[in-house]
Amino acid sequence: MKQTFNIDGMHCASCAVRIEDLLKDQEGVEEAVVNYALAQATVNGSIQMSVMEQLIKKEGYSIRSKDKSVEDAAEIEMKSAWKKALFATTLALPVFILAMFRIELPWEVAGIGLSAWIEAVLTMVIVLVPGMTFHRAAFAQLKRRTASMDTLISMGTLVALIFSWWSMLQSGDRYFETAAVITVLILIGRYLEARSKGRASQAISRLLELGAKMAHRLNEDGSIEDVTVTSLRVDDLVLVKEGEKIPLDGEVKEGDSHLDESMLTGESVLVKKRIGDQVFGATLNQKGLLTIRITATSENTVLAQIVRLVQEAQQKKAPVQKLADRISSVFVPVVIVVALLTFVIWWMVTGDVATALLPAVAVLVIACPCALGLATPTAILVGTGTAARQGVLIKSGEALQRGHSIKRVLFDKTGTITHGKPVVTDLDGGDEVLQIAASLEHGSEHPLAAAVIEQANEAKLSLGKVEQFEVIRGKGVSGKMNGTLYRLGSPAFIEETARLDVATKARIDTLRHEAKTVIILATDSYMGLLAISDDVKEGAKKAITDLRAQGIETVMVTGDHQKTAEAIARKVGINIVHASVLPGQKLDIVKESQKEGAIAFVGDGINDAPALTQADLGIAMGGGTDIAIEAGQIVIIGGDIRKVPQALKMSSRTYRTIKQNLFWAFIYNAIGIPLAALGLLNPMIAAGAMAFSSISVLLNSLRLKRQ
């Protein structure tokens, strides 16, 4: 059983790693992933929620109440961080002014100057009230013999505070401003980080906001009732007026209109809808009045599925994050050791505790691994959210990482490069051939079958009863009608039992050169043929051109005849064609292609599922079958082939952003810690630099929103 819940109180990557390791160690847990950027955990196993809640509470964190949404929690976190930062800043200003300008007020208390007492009291309030969140977490972790960013901050500020009190009572130098300003800067950093994280995680809330809230339900007595969308049930009839959103997924029962489906596809072109057409919740009715029969409740709509896929993608880690997680898990203990060594060495060299204290505190403060922990999840968060708004669903961080290395894309033809809605263009043999062919195809789910049946319906031909119906995958169908065995399928399939004359073969070649698929009807001899054409999708050629511009090779893999496939390939600019491929052979071609490097497979049908799964990156067209969509790691909503190069480009951009984030996070610590240890970095500057590093990572990730 998979359980997803939010965790309050995590302040750095090591927090997430520690909770994740704790959950993984529990009996009954098969898998556990904790996302620091989302403050979210996903656990797969038989463990009870109450057990996990108790474990997490012992670590000093808490599980967020279910009645509090992610967006509400983010808002609460941001407001809380702002209040703490404002309170601390207000108190720290007089401390900073008194210390920096060395102002000594002309009064004493117990033989100590009033300025010193003001600095001491205000700093103590700052460190122990708004800063208590660090100490509480650090203490809880100490009891569990663990450490985190909170440990570093707590140690740094408390050491500076305690030493300053001791020094003040001994009439020595005071460093209250160090403890005060460090706390203030970190709290301000927390607030800015909370704001940036909220902006990065807006994808889900914006998707959810797309849905309609109310609907006009048609009652059985003919009356119209305004109801909430959540109260609608399957088979309810609703009225959708011009300018209103479709409340839920459904089927048009009356009327015709043009819908804006850009929230699903990312394309602004209006889509014509007639009686019998499917419509999707949250799309906009631009023209006309529609009566819709509801076919899915709010939790099962296409929009809901998109939201779930985006959420799952944001929860899953990219492989590159494992390195960051491993480093974060050991980073804090190492830093504590480095800080202690810094203090000892400076003390031995100078003989002065105060001189040794400042670089040690600077090491503790600057070494926070926050930026490291945010580097990968925030980029995935923004990348997947931005792609979703463009009609591209990226299911995981792994898919994002794989996408950047793709050098070859294999395309299925029907429903991928072409519309997948073929029509009969030529008929040899008259109505008899059409009637028998349609009767045989009535039991088939192949796209060509739908074209034959539709043509028979237009000709108002009645279909006959077929017995012993059989589908020969990749070849055709057979069945008995009135005692006669008929075979319908490819010329090669027919030639297994019937001979085709020279004129018929010439006719077939001509039709294939016109990019038409030919199917033959025969008994033990030839009866007639049907030529079927499937138009190339608008934008298919541009998609191939864009991929080539990215340095990616394109290949077509299809079960259609070689000449027909080559004609389609010429239209779109594909040079390599594998034709007459049986479903099982697609998988073999994918495996063979993988020997030359990482490949992506783009398909939409049931027979594409094995190839989609085998490929390094499976890209499913959203207008295809459920099984293909399930098998694909990236889903193109609406089936717009132009989204394929966009998806790969977004993958490359996101991966590049992750690498940039990790580079700067590593460089920041690699430079900052030695400088702090050498005494070249004031603790206050270190605190500001630490906060800035996390914010810079978040801002760099937010650049992915720009196109």
Side-chain angles (χ1 to χ4, degrees):
M1 181 178 65
K2 184 180 286 187
Q3 302 179 81
T4 299
F5 52 91
N6 291 87
I7 301 173
D8 289 328
M10 290 195 299
H11 303 307
C12 67
S14 54
C15 296
V17 172
R18 187 169 59 258
I19 296 172
E20 187 174 292
D21 290 340
L22 179 68
L23 292 171
K24 285 179 178 177
D25 289 339
Q26 302 307 308
E27 187 177 349
V29 174
E30 299 172 11
E31 183 186 19
V33 176
V34 179
N35 189 313
Y36 169 52
L38 285 174
Q40 196 168 72
T42 301
V43 179
N44 194 7
S46 57
I47 188 171
Q48 297 293 317
M49 177 60 75
S50 58
V51 175
M52 290 189 288
E53 191 168 2
Q54 194 174 11
L55 288 167
I56 290 170
K57 190 175 180 180
K58 283 184 179 179
E59 288 292 314
Y61 310 98
S62 61
I63 293 179
R64 187 180 305 156
S65 170
K66 288 185 178 180
D67 59 359
K68 191 193 302 179
S69 69
V70 176
E71 291 74 26
D72 290 341
E75 185 69 19
I76 291 170
E77 182 186 357
M78 189 172 67
K79 287 181 178 178
S80 175
W82 168 248
K83 288 178 181 178
K84 289 178 180 178
L86 183 62
F87 178 67
T89 302
T90 303
L91 296 184
L93 279 174
V95 176
F96 184 78
I97 292 169
L98 289 171
M100 294 304 294
F101 295 99
R102 301 186 180 277
I103 300 172
E104 295 291 342
L105 298 174
W107 297 283
E108 289 186 355
V109 179
I112 299 172
L114 183 59
S115 296
W117 281 110
I118 292 172
E119 290 177 30
V121 173
L122 291 179
T123 301
M124 188 163 66
V125 174
I126 294 167
V127 173
L128 298 182
V129 180
M132 180 54 70
T133 181
F134 309 126
H135 314 308
R136 191 182 292 113
F139 182 70
Q141 290 149 17
L142 181 63
K143 289 196 296 183
R144 306 287 299 177
R145 298 180 182 179
T146 59
S148 71
M149 166 193 157
D150 292 317
T151 308
L152 302 180
I153 296 170
S154 179
M155 287 180 65
T157 54
L158 286 176
V159 166
L161 177 66
I162 294 169
F163 175 80
S164 295
W165 268 93
W166 177 82
S167 183
M168 181 185 76
L169 296 174
Q170 299 295 319
S171 300
D173 294 330
R174 309 185 300 270
Y175 299 96
F176 289 115
E177 78 280 3
T178 299
V181 174
I182 286 174
T183 304
V184 167
L185 289 173
I186 292 172
L187 289 172
I188 291 174
R190 286 275 175 90
Y191 164 69
L192 295 173
E193 185 180 306
R195 277 193 65 181
S196 300
K197 280 168 65 178
R199 287 173 61 196
S201 60
Q202 287 174 349
I204 300 296
S205 58
R206 287 186 177 178
L207 285 171
L208 290 169
E209 287 170 3
L210 291 172
K213 303 297 187 291
M214 302 294 293
H216 311 300
R217 184 171 62 196
L218 295 175
N219 298 321
E220 292 182 0
D221 60 1
S223 63
I224 300 174
E225 182 184 5
D226 288 344
V227 298
T228 60
V229 169
T230 53
S231 67
L232 293 175
R233 298 291 179 263
V234 173
D235 291 331
D236 280 353
L237 294 178
V238 296
L239 194 69
V240 184
K241 301 174 183 178
E242 184 176 322
E244 293 182 341
K245 290 182 177 180
I246 306 296
L248 297 172
D249 294 2
E251 178 188 351
V252 179
K253 300 301 290 183
E254 291 182 18
D256 62 79
S257 182
H258 288 80
L259 268 58
D260 179 357
E261 296 185 341
S262 58
M263 53 74 59
L264 288 178
T265 65
E267 298 297 324
S268 57
V269 179
L270 299 183
V271 181
K272 176 72 174 177
K273 296 293 181 180
R274 302 180 181 89
I275 293 174
D277 287 345
Q278 188 178 10
V279 294
F280 305 104
T283 56
L284 187 64
N285 182 21
Q286 293 281 33
K287 299 177 182 178
L289 183 68
L290 293 175
T291 300
I292 309 294
R293 182 182 68 84
I294 301 299
T295 58
T297 54
S298 54
E299 63 271 14
N300 295 317
T301 62
V302 170
L303 178 62
Q305 293 174 38
I306 291 172
V307 170
R308 280 197 293 272
L309 283 172
V310 175
Q311 286 175 325
E312 288 173 4
Q314 294 176 346
Q315 290 163 11
K316 294 176 181 175
K317 294 181 179 181
V320 72
Q321 192 175 342
K322 294 177 181 177
L323 173 64
D325 285 349
R326 285 197 298 269
I327 292 172
S328 295
S329 63
V330 299
F331 193 75
V332 173
V334 169
V335 168
I336 292 172
V337 172
V338 171
L340 288 171
L341 287 172
T342 300
F343 176 79
V344 170
I345 292 170
W346 273 95
W347 191 16
M348 291 174 63
V349 171
T350 65
D352 183 40
V353 174
T355 304
L357 183 69
L358 289 178
V361 171
V363 169
L364 289 171
V365 172
I366 201 168
C368 167
C370 255
L372 196 61
L374 290 167
T376 299
T378 54
I380 291 173
L381 199 66
V382 179
T384 53
T386 302
R389 291 196 299 274
Q390 296 169 355
V392 178
L393 295 185
I394 302 171
K395 290 184 176 182
S396 67
E398 185 178 5
L400 271 172
Q401 185 167 334
R402 285 183 178 181
H404 89 281
S405 61
I406 298 299
K407 297 301 178 187
R408 176 181 289 185
V409 178
L410 279 60
F411 287 93
D412 172 53
K413 179 180 76 70
T414 305
T416 303
I417 292 175
T418 63
H419 285 287
K421 295 181 179 179
V423 294
V424 176
T425 58
D426 301 83
L427 173 64
D428 293 358
D431 286 351
E432 182 187 8
V433 169
L434 179 59
Q435 184 182 37
I436 296 170
S439 300
L440 290 168
E441 293 284 34
H442 189 65
S444 173
E445 295 182 355
H446 197 281
L448 298 183
V452 175
I453 294 168
E454 186 174 347
Q455 186 70 18
N457 290 335
E458 288 182 6
K460 298 181 179 179
L461 301 175
S462 58
L463 303 185
K465 184 179 179 182
V466 178
E467 298 175 338
Q468 299 178 23
F469 175 77
E470 183 182 2
V471 176
I472 299 88
R473 292 194 69 185
K475 295 182 177 182
V477 297
S478 67
K480 277 189 176 182
M481 292 180 65
N482 300 321
T484 303
L485 178 65
Y486 295 94
R487 291 160 67 89
L488 178 71
S490 67
F493 173 55
I494 298 303
E495 284 191 296
E496 293 176 5
T497 56
R499 184 175 171 274
L500 301 178
D501 59 30
V502 175
T504 301
K505 289 181 178 179
R507 170 75 163 147
I508 292 170
D509 282 344
T510 300
L511 292 169
R512 283 171 170 170
H513 277 294
E514 296 172 0
K516 295 175 180 178
T517 301
V518 178
I519 57 174
I520 306 290
L521 178 67
T523 52
D524 55 357
S525 62
Y526 170 78
M527 289 185 65
L529 64 77
L530 298 95
I532 299 170
S533 176
D534 187 8
D535 291 337
V536 171
K537 286 183 177 179
E538 183 183 354
K541 188 173 183 178
K542 185 179 186 307
I544 302 303
T545 303
D546 289 347
L547 287 170
R548 192 178 294 118
Q550 294 178 36
I552 297 173
E553 186 180 46
T554 54
V555 180
M556 182 191 290
V557 184
T558 177
D560 216 334
H561 190 271
Q562 186 75 32
K563 290 182 179 178
T564 304
E566 287 176 352
I568 296 292
R570 282 195 299 273
K571 285 186 178 181
V572 299
I574 293 177
N575 298 321
I576 303 172
V577 178
H578 297 279
S580 303
V581 175
L582 297 175
Q585 294 174 318
K586 282 188 179 182
L587 185 62
D588 296 333
I589 292 171
V590 169
K591 289 180 179 178
E592 191 64 29
S593 298
Q594 286 176 311
K595 294 178 181 178
E596 301 178 24
I599 68 108
F601 186 91
V602 186
D604 77 318
I606 292 173
N607 60 346
D608 296 326
L612 286 165
T613 304
Q614 174 62 37
D616 299 282
L617 185 66
I619 303 177
M621 307 306 283
T625 62
D626 290 341
I627 191 168
I629 293 171
E630 186 66 29
Q633 295 168 290
I634 293 178
V635 180
I636 307 298
I637 302 298
D640 187 348
I641 192 173
R642 290 171 294 185
K643 302 293 183 183
V644 173
Q646 289 183 25
L648 295 178
K649 188 176 181 180
M650 176 57 75
S651 174
S652 296
R653 288 182 65 209
T654 304
Y655 187 68
R656 186 165 62 248
T657 300
I658 290 172
K659 289 199 298 182
Q660 291 168 354
N661 288 347
L662 288 172
F663 172 79
W664 288 113
F666 279 122
I667 288 296
Y668 159 79
N669 281 304
I671 296 173
I673 292 175
L675 287 176
L678 291 171
L680 301 175
L681 207 60
N682 184 280
M684 290 181 286
I685 297 174
M690 184 212 71
F692 179 76
S693 69
S694 296
I695 296 164
S696 63
V697 163
L698 284 159
L699 292 176
N700 190 46
S701 295
L702 286 167
R703 290 193 306 117
L704 288 168
K705 287 187 174 184
R706 300 187 219 140
Q707 284 293 85

